[in-house]
Amino acid sequence: MADEKQYWLDKPGSVNKVTRSVYAICALLFLGDLFYHKHPHFEVEAWFGFYGIYGFIACVLLVLAAKELRKVLKRDEDYYDR
């Protein structure tokens, strides 16, 4: 095991850099909402950061729905071995 090759994502410092970079990109995209003219169809679409917040809430709801759906669709571990 000592001869095993180390990849750059195996180091905790590299993972922290990737995480911080993703957070920074998300923040910049959220702030980018200030720099363009919107043509909203509904008043709520004109709110600052509406689409970012809407997307975040939609993703959270999808994860929560998937967790509940798993309870319905879950099979025993040996389901295909029977």
Side-chain angles (χ1 to χ4, degrees):
M1 289 291 251
D3 299 350
E4 197 170 313
K5 184 177 178 182
Q6 283 280 325
Y7 296 96
W8 69 279
L9 281 177
D10 291 336
K11 300 173 189 169
S14 298
V15 174
N16 290 337
K17 288 178 185 177
V18 170
T19 304
R20 287 187 187 124
S21 299
V22 169
Y23 288 155
I25 290 169
C26 287
L28 289 172
L29 288 171
F30 188 77
L31 290 174
D33 197 32
L34 291 170
F35 299 106
Y36 68 93
H37 179 68
K38 301 176 187 117
H39 302 281
H41 188 73
F42 299 104
E43 186 62 32
V44 70
E45 293 176 279
W47 294 356
F48 171 71
F50 169 75
Y51 289 108
I53 294 167
Y54 177 78
F56 177 76
I57 291 171
C59 285
V60 168
L61 291 176
L62 278 172
V63 169
L64 295 176
K67 284 178 71 173
E68 295 302 315
L69 190 60
R70 182 179 183 273
K71 294 176 185 176
V72 175
L73 299 176
K74 185 170 62 173
R75 300 287 181 251
D76 292 334
E77 198 171 313
D78 64 342
Y79 179 76
Y80 290 106
D81 295 333
R82 290 190 238 163

